[in-house]
Amino acid sequence: MKVQDILFEKMYQNNENRLRELKKNLKNTDSNGEWSLCLGAGVSISAGLPDWYGLLARITAQIIPDEILFKLQHNTIALQTNVSESGDMESAESEQLDDSQAFQADVENFYKNLDTAGTDKEYLEKHEAAQSGKYKYVFENINVLESAEYVRNYIDQLLQPENSSKENEGTAERNINWHINYFIRQSCLHSLKYSMDSEEMKKSALGAAARLLKSDTDSIIHDVITYNYDNLLEEYLRVNCGCDAEKVHSVIKTDVLPRFGDQEAWNIYHVHGRIPVFDCQKEPRSKEVILTESDYYKEERINYSWTNTIQSYVLGRANVIFIGFSGTDYNFRRLLKYIRRDRNNAHKRYIFFSVDDIVNAVFGGLEKADGSVSECIKIMNQNNGRYAYEKLMINYLIHAQTIYWFKNGIEVIWSSHEELPYNLDSLHL
């Protein structure tokens, strides 16, 4: 999908002017101050990792009980739920099962009926497909942070017998966090599509973002705020950009902070925690990450938390390029409070938004009549009246978002999944 095929003519010209303006401002970095990158999930998605819904779908597939896992869980929980040796729940008229116990009993009956019906083969095939994120659409109509809360609550439930023997609440909480982080890492490892030295990785938005930090000809940016857990950016800098590993600093809240703006090093601040996909001795897994709704609320209540301080510090003293966010992204919308405080200063802020989601949403199911969305775009640009309303609607939404973010202190540059790496590479001096 190409932006020129989507935008009205003058809107496209203005969009190109903003791209040229960004390059000019990067060139004049001495007069305008330092530049930083702020990276959202779209950067890691371009390298093959799952989006948030895909991640939650994969984690859920790992924790939802298959038959073997259920039996292991069931044997542990049996001690607390009056389960007899045969596995049947002892009924007592005076005692009602709580929701967790009732679920365990129902799942036991589910597997008994499944074996009797002889449909376990189909079930196992779908369970395996779920671990590849096939059922992520189930989560798309649920608030993503609420969905993450489901995962945490269920893991807490599974670990309840084990955690009840822990000496204190802090130990039990660390046990839950360890399992959450483990499932996140397994989900990322199983979904990573490309090797670090592959052409697909080099042509991804992640590769292009890394080259803004270090290319063969220049090193424009040295500080990055990322909301991604993975260490793909760090590994790309080491493997493909030739950066000295000792000068690539992957930073979480338990680390000693490197010097901001150090032109001889690269600092990647993982403000929500780090779960490395590539093993690196100096990049261990965070003990806890910000994933759920309650994690966000907890962090927001701490005025001087490391996460809030880093974001406020970087966004308050540097020019910023945002990549990999959508306008509805919760992380990005939280950043507005830092940007609004600083709207009257000279710092510049640009964000790359993708037209893909808007185009796909507007066309909806119409592509079924004419083939793919790309075919619909071709018909739309023949100016024969077909899809004229859709073109107007697409451009209205793009215009409305451009104005909205401009009023919040951010210049929008529209791109597409296909063109974003080329747009970023065009910024080199």
Side-chain angles (χ1 to χ4, degrees):
M1 190 178 299
K2 298 185 184 302
V3 174
Q4 190 170 10
D5 294 334
I6 304 302
L7 294 182
F8 287 144
E9 181 180 356
K10 288 183 172 53
M11 286 178 62
Y12 176 74
Q13 291 173 358
N14 285 348
N15 195 62
E16 288 292 291
N17 288 339
R18 283 190 289 273
L19 185 61
R20 285 191 288 269
E21 179 187 79
L22 171 55
K23 181 173 181 176
K24 179 181 177 181
N25 286 327
L26 283 169
K27 186 176 181 180
N28 295 332
T29 185
D30 290 340
S31 60
N32 291 328
E34 298 153 347
W35 283 84
S36 297
L37 289 184
C38 193
L39 305 182
V43 173
S44 292
I45 293 169
S46 75
L49 293 188
D51 60 16
W52 276 107
Y53 294 112
L55 177 64
L56 290 172
R58 284 170 167 82
I59 294 174
T60 300
Q62 291 181 75
I63 64 175
I64 199 169
D66 60 28
E67 189 167 11
I68 295 175
L69 180 59
F70 170 74
K71 287 177 179 177
L72 291 174
Q73 296 167 0
H74 192 61
N75 290 336
T76 304
I77 295 174
L79 298 175
Q80 293 194 345
T81 55
N82 295 326
V83 178
S84 66
E85 292 182 359
S86 63
D88 294 328
M89 194 72 68
E90 292 180 355
S91 59
E93 292 182 3
S94 60
E95 192 174 324
Q96 183 176 352
L97 302 180
D98 65 26
D99 288 332
S100 297
Q101 294 168 344
F103 179 74
Q104 294 294 329
D106 286 337
V107 172
E108 180 182 13
N109 289 329
F110 166 81
Y111 280 118
K112 285 181 179 178
N113 295 333
L114 191 67
D115 290 338
T116 302
T119 56
D120 54 329
K121 181 179 178 181
E122 177 190 340
Y123 169 81
L124 291 173
E125 289 174 350
K126 290 182 177 179
H127 188 270
E128 184 176 348
Q131 296 194 46
S132 299
K134 180 179 179 180
Y135 293 94
K136 76 171 190 174
Y137 64 86
V138 174
F139 296 88
E140 291 177 353
N141 291 322
I142 307 173
N143 178 282
V144 66
L145 298 182
E146 182 182 328
S147 299
E149 203 75 51
Y150 300 165
V151 168
R152 182 180 184 83
N153 290 342
Y154 191 67
I155 291 175
D156 184 16
Q157 173 187 319
L158 295 180
L159 295 174
Q160 199 62 51
E162 180 182 343
N163 281 344
S164 63
S165 65
K166 300 296 182 184
E167 294 180 2
N168 55 61
E169 184 178 343
T171 305
E173 187 70 14
R174 286 193 292 273
N175 192 26
I176 295 171
N177 289 333
W178 186 93
H179 282 81
I180 289 174
N181 294 359
Y182 170 81
F183 288 127
I184 291 175
R185 185 168 193 264
Q186 291 302 111
S187 298
C188 291
L189 285 174
H190 293 159
S191 60
L192 185 63
K193 296 179 182 177
Y194 313 126
S195 62
M196 190 52 65
D197 60 352
S198 67
E199 285 302 310
E200 290 85 356
M201 187 70 80
K202 293 175 183 177
K203 292 178 180 179
S204 69
L206 180 131
R211 289 189 290 274
L212 285 176
L213 276 69
K214 177 67 168 67
S215 73
D216 293 337
T217 58
D218 53 36
S219 181
I220 303 174
I221 296 172
H222 291 264
D223 293 283
V224 179
I225 287 180
T226 179
Y227 293 88
N228 302 322
Y229 306 130
D230 63 81
N231 64 340
L232 292 182
L233 180 62
E234 292 93 323
E235 187 71 4
Y236 194 100
L237 289 171
R238 290 188 287 259
V239 173
N240 294 327
C241 295
C243 294
D244 183 344
E246 294 303 314
K247 294 184 177 181
V248 177
H249 305 307
S250 182
V251 188
I252 56 176
K253 65 181 179 181
T254 55
D255 295 332
V256 176
L257 288 177
R259 184 165 65 88
F260 181 82
D262 185 351
Q263 297 301 299
E264 300 299 323
W266 296 270
N267 307 319
I268 296 94
Y269 301 94
H270 289 265
V271 292
H272 284 174
R274 179 181 60 223
I275 301 179
V277 174
F278 291 93
D279 291 327
C280 181
Q281 186 174 0
K282 67 173 189 172
E283 294 168 9
R285 189 188 309 175
S286 295
K287 293 181 179 179
E288 60 181 341
V289 297
I290 297 175
L291 173 70
T292 68
E293 199 166 27
S294 57
D295 292 333
Y296 279 94
Y297 292 157
K298 176 183 176 182
E299 200 68 26
E300 288 174 349
R301 287 195 297 269
I302 305 173
N303 291 330
Y304 298 102
S305 72
W306 180 86
T307 296
N308 295 334
T309 301
I310 286 295
Q311 292 175 99
S312 180
Y313 182 76
V314 173
L315 295 175
R317 65 166 291 170
N319 306 297
V320 184
I321 303 173
F322 298 91
I323 307 170
F325 295 91
S326 70
T328 59
D329 191 301
Y330 183 74
N331 291 323
F332 181 62
R333 301 193 75 84
R334 286 179 69 246
L335 291 176
L336 285 181
K337 67 180 181 180
Y338 301 111
I339 296 169
R340 284 174 180 144
R341 294 174 190 166
D342 194 43
R343 282 183 59 190
N344 295 323
N345 72 9
H347 293 139
K348 300 182 183 302
R349 300 178 181 91
Y350 294 85
I351 185 166
F352 284 88
F353 276 156
S354 170
V355 299
D356 298 65
D357 290 342
I358 292 177
V359 172
N360 291 332
V362 168
F363 276 111
L366 296 177
E367 70 274 11
K368 295 178 181 178
D370 290 308
S372 64
V373 170
S374 60
E375 286 299 315
C376 292
I377 293 172
K378 288 180 181 178
I379 295 171
M380 179 179 72
N381 287 321
Q382 290 173 0
N383 296 321
N384 59 7
R386 289 199 64 192
Y387 298 137
Y389 183 80
E390 283 77 10
K391 183 158 189 171
L392 178 61
M393 178 57 69
I394 289 168
N395 278 271
Y396 163 76
L397 291 171
I398 289 173
H399 168 70
Q401 288 193 35
T402 303
I403 297 301
Y404 175 85
W405 293 110
F406 175 76
K407 289 189 173 183
N408 281 283
I410 302 174
E411 294 276 6
V412 177
I413 299 173
W414 290 94
S415 186
S416 66
H417 299 327
E418 177 186 348
E419 293 182 305
L420 179 57
Y422 302 100
N423 292 150
L424 296 178
D425 281 335
S426 75
L427 298 175
H428 288 282
L429 312 180

Tab-separated table of all heavy atoms in Angstrom, residues 213-243:
chain	number	residue	atom	x	y	z
A	213	LEU	N	20.049	5.082	14.380
A	213	LEU	CA	21.017	5.146	15.467
A	213	LEU	C	22.441	4.962	14.950
A	213	LEU	O	23.368	5.604	15.438
A	213	LEU	CB	20.703	4.075	16.521
A	213	LEU	CG	19.644	4.438	17.567
A	213	LEU	CD1	18.257	4.526	16.952
A	213	LEU	CD2	19.629	3.408	18.687
A	214	LYS	N	22.601	4.070	13.964
A	214	LYS	CA	23.941	3.824	13.440
A	214	LYS	C	23.839	3.243	12.040
A	214	LYS	O	23.321	2.155	11.834
A	214	LYS	CB	24.693	2.840	14.341
A	214	LYS	CG	26.082	2.455	13.841
A	214	LYS	CD	27.039	3.637	13.888
A	214	LYS	CE	28.490	3.194	13.668
A	214	LYS	NZ	28.715	2.687	12.294
A	215	SER	N	24.322	4.000	11.040
A	215	SER	CA	24.408	3.510	9.671
A	215	SER	C	25.860	3.585	9.218
A	215	SER	O	26.748	3.975	9.982
A	215	SER	CB	23.516	4.349	8.739
A	215	SER	OG	24.098	5.620	8.524
A	216	ASP	N	26.109	3.244	7.974
A	216	ASP	CA	27.481	3.300	7.448
A	216	ASP	C	27.979	4.733	7.324
A	216	ASP	O	29.187	4.988	7.309
A	216	ASP	CB	27.554	2.627	6.072
A	216	ASP	CG	27.305	1.130	6.157
A	216	ASP	OD1	27.522	0.570	7.248
A	216	ASP	OD2	26.881	0.539	5.148
A	217	THR	N	27.046	5.685	7.232
A	217	THR	CA	27.449	7.074	6.958
A	217	THR	C	27.241	8.022	8.132
A	217	THR	O	27.859	9.083	8.183
A	217	THR	CB	26.659	7.625	5.751
A	217	THR	OG1	25.253	7.540	6.038
A	217	THR	CG2	26.973	6.822	4.498
A	218	ASP	N	26.340	7.683	9.051
A	218	ASP	CA	26.070	8.617	10.144
A	218	ASP	C	25.518	7.898	11.363
A	218	ASP	O	25.204	6.707	11.323
A	218	ASP	CB	25.102	9.719	9.688
A	218	ASP	CG	23.830	9.151	9.074
A	218	ASP	OD1	23.363	8.110	9.551
A	218	ASP	OD2	23.310	9.747	8.109
A	219	SER	N	25.426	8.632	12.442
A	219	SER	CA	24.851	8.141	13.695
A	219	SER	C	24.023	9.280	14.265
A	219	SER	O	24.511	10.106	15.031
A	219	SER	CB	25.963	7.714	14.658
A	219	SER	OG	25.416	7.214	15.851
A	220	ILE	N	22.740	9.329	13.862
A	220	ILE	CA	21.929	10.510	14.123
A	220	ILE	C	21.412	10.556	15.556
A	220	ILE	O	21.417	11.600	16.202
A	220	ILE	CB	20.732	10.549	13.137
A	220	ILE	CG1	21.232	10.520	11.693
A	220	ILE	CG2	19.868	11.769	13.386
A	220	ILE	CD1	20.112	10.409	10.663
A	221	ILE	N	20.967	9.412	16.078
A	221	ILE	CA	20.247	9.369	17.354
A	221	ILE	C	20.926	8.375	18.291
A	221	ILE	O	21.390	7.320	17.859
A	221	ILE	CB	18.770	8.988	17.110
A	221	ILE	CG1	18.084	10.083	16.275
A	221	ILE	CG2	18.034	8.774	18.425
A	221	ILE	CD1	16.699	9.722	15.820
A	222	HIS	N	20.944	8.705	19.581
A	222	HIS	CA	21.643	7.852	20.542
A	222	HIS	C	20.779	7.426	21.725
A	222	HIS	O	21.231	6.614	22.538
A	222	HIS	CB	22.895	8.567	21.058
A	222	HIS	CG	23.960	8.716	20.012
A	222	HIS	ND1	25.011	7.849	19.879
A	222	HIS	CD2	24.109	9.630	19.016
A	222	HIS	CE1	25.773	8.215	18.868
A	222	HIS	NE2	25.241	9.296	18.324
A	223	ASP	N	19.574	7.953	21.832
A	223	ASP	CA	18.703	7.600	22.960
A	223	ASP	C	17.341	7.144	22.459
A	223	ASP	O	16.736	7.781	21.588
A	223	ASP	CB	18.537	8.794	23.893
A	223	ASP	CG	19.835	9.150	24.596
A	223	ASP	OD1	20.196	8.445	25.555
A	223	ASP	OD2	20.496	10.117	24.165
A	224	VAL	N	16.856	6.042	23.040
A	224	VAL	CA	15.593	5.439	22.613
A	224	VAL	C	14.754	5.089	23.830
A	224	VAL	O	15.251	4.471	24.786
A	224	VAL	CB	15.843	4.147	21.794
A	224	VAL	CG1	14.513	3.518	21.375
A	224	VAL	CG2	16.722	4.414	20.593
A	225	ILE	N	13.501	5.496	23.815
A	225	ILE	CA	12.518	4.969	24.757
A	225	ILE	C	11.720	3.906	24.000
A	225	ILE	O	11.181	4.183	22.921
A	225	ILE	CB	11.552	6.066	25.261
A	225	ILE	CG1	12.263	6.995	26.234
A	225	ILE	CG2	10.354	5.435	25.966
A	225	ILE	CD1	11.376	8.091	26.773
A	226	THR	N	11.659	2.706	24.547
A	226	THR	CA	10.872	1.662	23.899
A	226	THR	C	9.870	1.069	24.880
A	226	THR	O	10.177	0.885	26.062
A	226	THR	CB	11.777	0.543	23.328
A	226	THR	OG1	10.951	-0.470	22.726
A	226	THR	CG2	12.647	-0.092	24.396
A	227	TYR	N	8.679	0.788	24.365
A	227	TYR	CA	7.640	0.143	25.161
A	227	TYR	C	7.601	-1.356	24.881
A	227	TYR	O	6.731	-2.062	25.383
A	227	TYR	CB	6.282	0.791	24.872
A	227	TYR	CG	6.243	2.202	25.373
A	227	TYR	CD1	6.679	3.254	24.573
A	227	TYR	CD2	5.854	2.491	26.672
A	227	TYR	CE1	6.705	4.550	25.049
A	227	TYR	CE2	5.871	3.786	27.152
A	227	TYR	CZ	6.301	4.811	26.337
A	227	TYR	OH	6.347	6.095	26.816
A	228	ASN	N	8.557	-1.829	24.092
A	228	ASN	CA	8.651	-3.248	23.759
A	228	ASN	C	9.558	-3.960	24.750
A	228	ASN	O	10.568	-3.414	25.181
A	228	ASN	CB	9.184	-3.410	22.333
A	228	ASN	CG	8.307	-2.710	21.316
A	228	ASN	OD1	7.079	-2.719	21.442
A	228	ASN	ND2	8.906	-2.076	20.326
A	229	TYR	N	9.198	-5.194	25.068
A	229	TYR	CA	9.997	-5.968	26.007
A	229	TYR	C	11.260	-6.541	25.367
A	229	TYR	O	12.264	-6.747	26.042
A	229	TYR	CB	9.182	-7.148	26.559
A	229	TYR	CG	7.862	-6.790	27.180
A	229	TYR	CD1	6.701	-7.471	26.819
A	229	TYR	CD2	7.764	-5.799	28.148
A	229	TYR	CE1	5.485	-7.169	27.396
A	229	TYR	CE2	6.546	-5.479	28.730
A	229	TYR	CZ	5.408	-6.179	28.347
A	229	TYR	OH	4.197	-5.880	28.915
A	230	ASP	N	11.211	-6.819	24.084
A	230	ASP	CA	12.279	-7.569	23.427
A	230	ASP	C	13.553	-6.740	23.273
A	230	ASP	O	13.535	-5.513	23.388
A	230	ASP	CB	11.813	-8.044	22.043
A	230	ASP	CG	11.506	-6.868	21.128
A	230	ASP	OD1	12.453	-6.311	20.551
A	230	ASP	OD2	10.319	-6.487	21.009
A	231	ASN	N	14.641	-7.446	22.985
A	231	ASN	CA	15.925	-6.779	22.744
A	231	ASN	C	16.358	-6.904	21.289
A	231	ASN	O	17.550	-6.992	20.984
A	231	ASN	CB	17.009	-7.330	23.675
A	231	ASN	CG	17.310	-8.811	23.427
A	231	ASN	OD1	16.493	-9.533	22.843
A	231	ASN	ND2	18.469	-9.266	23.874
A	232	LEU	N	15.382	-6.901	20.372
A	232	LEU	CA	15.701	-6.989	18.950
A	232	LEU	C	16.529	-5.795	18.482
A	232	LEU	O	17.456	-5.943	17.672
A	232	LEU	CB	14.415	-7.068	18.117
A	232	LEU	CG	13.560	-8.330	18.241
A	232	LEU	CD1	12.366	-8.236	17.302
A	232	LEU	CD2	14.366	-9.574	17.956
A	233	LEU	N	16.200	-4.607	18.970
A	233	LEU	CA	16.930	-3.407	18.546
A	233	LEU	C	18.396	-3.502	18.964
A	233	LEU	O	19.300	-3.209	18.172
A	233	LEU	CB	16.282	-2.159	19.137
A	233	LEU	CG	16.952	-0.824	18.786
A	233	LEU	CD1	16.924	-0.575	17.284
A	233	LEU	CD2	16.274	0.327	19.527
A	234	GLU	N	18.636	-3.889	20.211
A	234	GLU	CA	20.007	-4.015	20.691
A	234	GLU	C	20.784	-5.033	19.853
A	234	GLU	O	21.933	-4.796	19.473
A	234	GLU	CB	20.016	-4.451	22.170
A	234	GLU	CG	19.494	-3.401	23.122
A	234	GLU	CD	18.013	-3.537	23.422
A	234	GLU	OE1	17.263	-3.898	22.490
A	234	GLU	OE2	17.602	-3.270	24.549
A	235	GLU	N	20.147	-6.169	19.584
A	235	GLU	CA	20.828	-7.218	18.809
A	235	GLU	C	21.096	-6.757	17.382
A	235	GLU	O	22.155	-7.057	16.820
A	235	GLU	CB	19.971	-8.494	18.817
A	235	GLU	CG	20.634	-9.703	18.187
A	235	GLU	CD	21.779	-10.276	19.023
A	235	GLU	OE1	22.020	-9.777	20.142
A	235	GLU	OE2	22.425	-11.234	18.550
A	236	TYR	N	20.159	-6.021	16.803
A	236	TYR	CA	20.357	-5.511	15.443
A	236	TYR	C	21.547	-4.548	15.408
A	236	TYR	O	22.364	-4.593	14.478
A	236	TYR	CB	19.097	-4.796	14.948
A	236	TYR	CG	19.110	-4.548	13.445
A	236	TYR	CD1	18.400	-5.381	12.584
A	236	TYR	CD2	19.836	-3.491	12.890
A	236	TYR	CE1	18.411	-5.169	11.211
A	236	TYR	CE2	19.857	-3.278	11.526
A	236	TYR	CZ	19.141	-4.120	10.695
A	236	TYR	OH	19.169	-3.910	9.333
A	237	LEU	N	21.651	-3.692	16.404
A	237	LEU	CA	22.772	-2.751	16.458
A	237	LEU	C	24.102	-3.487	16.544
A	237	LEU	O	25.093	-3.106	15.908
A	237	LEU	CB	22.620	-1.814	17.658
A	237	LEU	CG	21.511	-0.761	17.565
A	237	LEU	CD1	21.326	-0.063	18.909
A	237	LEU	CD2	21.802	0.259	16.470
A	238	ARG	N	24.127	-4.561	17.321
A	238	ARG	CA	25.379	-5.314	17.483
A	238	ARG	C	25.724	-6.116	16.228
A	238	ARG	O	26.875	-6.129	15.785
A	238	ARG	CB	25.266	-6.262	18.690
A	238	ARG	CG	25.234	-5.575	20.039
A	238	ARG	CD	25.315	-6.580	21.174
A	238	ARG	NE	24.060	-7.321	21.334
A	238	ARG	CZ	23.150	-7.062	22.254
A	238	ARG	NH1	23.328	-6.053	23.095
A	238	ARG	NH2	22.056	-7.790	22.353
A	239	VAL	N	24.723	-6.768	15.652
A	239	VAL	CA	24.975	-7.710	14.542
A	239	VAL	C	25.076	-7.011	13.196
A	239	VAL	O	25.991	-7.271	12.412
A	239	VAL	CB	23.868	-8.794	14.501
A	239	VAL	CG1	24.013	-9.670	13.264
A	239	VAL	CG2	23.908	-9.639	15.763
A	240	ASN	N	24.136	-6.113	12.909
A	240	ASN	CA	24.037	-5.536	11.565
A	240	ASN	C	24.612	-4.131	11.437
A	240	ASN	O	24.938	-3.702	10.329
A	240	ASN	CB	22.568	-5.521	11.113
A	240	ASN	CG	22.018	-6.926	10.926
A	240	ASN	OD1	22.740	-7.838	10.538
A	240	ASN	ND2	20.739	-7.106	11.225
A	241	CYS	N	24.705	-3.405	12.536
A	241	CYS	CA	25.194	-2.021	12.457
A	241	CYS	C	26.643	-1.884	12.914
A	241	CYS	O	27.222	-0.798	12.812
A	241	CYS	CB	24.307	-1.089	13.285
A	241	CYS	SG	22.618	-0.959	12.662
A	242	GLY	N	27.206	-2.964	13.410
A	242	GLY	CA	28.610	-2.930	13.814
A	242	GLY	C	28.885	-2.127	15.069
A	242	GLY	O	30.010	-1.667	15.281
A	243	CYS	N	27.877	-1.947	15.921
A	243	CYS	CA	28.084	-1.192	17.162
A	243	CYS	C	28.864	-2.034	18.177
A	243	CYS	O	28.624	-3.238	18.311
A	243	CYS	CB	26.749	-0.786	17.774
A	243	CYS	SG	25.813	0.398	16.782
